[in-house]
Amino acid sequence: MSRSFDTVSPAGGERSQVSATMTERLARMRAGQLSALPTVAEIRMAYPLAGGGATLRLMTAEGSTSERHMIPLTERGAAGRENDPAGIYLDAITDGANTEGLLIAAGWHLMRLGFNYALGAAWAPYSGSASSEAQWKEWAPMLPEGHRWPHTVRVAITATAEHLAYIDRAYGPAPELPDLPAGVSAHPSGPRSWQISYANRRFWQLSYLPRMGGDVWTLYADPARTKSLARAASPGELLATIPARDAEAQARAAARKGY
């Protein structure tokens, strides 16, 4: 909901309205993210003839989930997906069984995603629909002895402080840039991007991406942000390189003129 501002000029009032509207929109998005945070983790075994694998699923109290919260525990999944370096994907992890190895694997993924077990919570067997239970009873003789139950376990989870801080950054105001090196100027060019110039003769783009595990700042060579030059955990590291980059560009231009 936009607001009117009677104490400023029309142009300034328009900018204030835009700012207020964006702030309110981000606040609504933040509230939506918080309300959609998973509160339950589930390990579900596949049917025996499907290979006896297992999947970790993070879901809300209503049972909804997202694709990134559906994680295969007994296979590598999509190319490039981060895997536990401890080797949780060894064949010995499960043989159609809900083993301790699966719980360890699930805990590793929960930590990576920014979740922890709720205070006092522990994995416990979970029974699904009557039809699902009947199907599992039919499949039970095909499972290894001693590995016939439980086929599904659940535990209550909560978002970590790191995860909540990430949401605050992702849906909060853009961070302030540090003091700029001499000759360097910066002007906002988007919600989380700035046009960087040196002596008003050469230009770059700087962008900010909030991320779990460490935010990323990127310096680009072009306004369209298609040519990435460098990435860093803070903007100061990148801004400090601007005078040297300008000097290098001038040197290259002078060399070309010499031919």
Side-chain angles (χ1 to χ4, degrees):
M1 164 174 172
S2 61
R3 305 170 181 167
S4 60
F5 297 82
D6 298 327
T7 58
V8 294
S9 66
E14 182 178 349
R15 286 194 297 271
S16 297
Q17 284 183 321
V18 170
S19 176
T21 302
M22 178 58 70
T23 299
E24 292 165 354
R25 184 185 305 169
L26 288 171
R28 289 194 297 269
M29 292 171 68
R30 177 182 179 277
Q33 286 291 314
L34 291 174
S35 65
L37 283 173
T39 59
V40 177
E42 174 187 272
I43 299 175
R44 179 179 297 180
M45 305 301 300
Y47 292 125
L49 294 186
T55 299
L56 171 67
R57 183 165 70 123
L58 279 59
M59 67 192 85
T60 65
E62 293 76 25
S64 63
T65 189
S66 63
E67 184 178 353
R68 68 189 182 93
H69 289 152
M70 294 280 289
I71 303 163
L73 294 177
T74 50
E75 59 187 64
R76 289 195 173 274
R81 189 170 66 88
E82 185 179 6
N83 293 303
D84 184 0
I88 63 172
Y89 297 94
L90 297 175
D91 292 340
I93 190 173
T94 183
D95 187 12
N98 219 324
T99 62
E100 184 67 21
L102 287 179
L103 303 186
I104 294 172
W108 181 84
H109 281 290
L110 285 171
M111 179 179 63
R112 182 179 62 86
L113 292 169
F115 293 92
N116 206 343
Y117 301 126
L119 186 63
W123 291 99
Y126 175 80
S127 297
S129 65
S131 59
S132 174
E133 293 304 310
Q135 192 169 25
W136 270 102
K137 185 176 181 181
E138 179 182 343
W139 285 104
M142 301 183 184
L143 292 173
E145 191 65 33
H147 290 172
R148 298 180 179 179
W149 190 83
H151 54 75
T152 304
V153 292
R154 287 186 174 184
V155 67
I157 59 174
T158 59
T160 62
E162 179 189 10
H163 194 144
L164 296 176
Y166 155 73
I167 292 176
D168 285 343
R169 297 194 307 277
Y171 299 99
E176 297 288 335
L177 296 182
D179 292 339
L180 302 174
V184 176
S185 62
H187 303 282
S189 57
R192 287 186 171 86
S193 63
W194 297 260
Q195 183 187 71
I196 308 299
S197 67
Y198 185 80
N200 290 321
R201 65 174 173 235
R202 190 162 284 105
F203 298 89
W204 297 264
Q205 284 288 324
L206 179 68
S207 73
Y208 166 68
L209 176 65
R211 195 178 66 172
M212 277 284 297
D215 298 344
V216 177
W217 292 80
T218 306
L219 185 67
Y220 295 91
D222 59 321
R225 291 182 294 183
T226 60
K227 184 180 179 182
S228 171
L229 297 175
R231 291 184 174 88
S234 67
E237 297 177 49
L238 300 175
L239 292 170
T241 68
I242 293 299
R245 292 180 185 278
D246 179 77
E248 291 173 5
Q250 287 194 77
R252 287 195 299 268
R256 286 195 296 269
K257 289 181 180 178
Y259 282 105

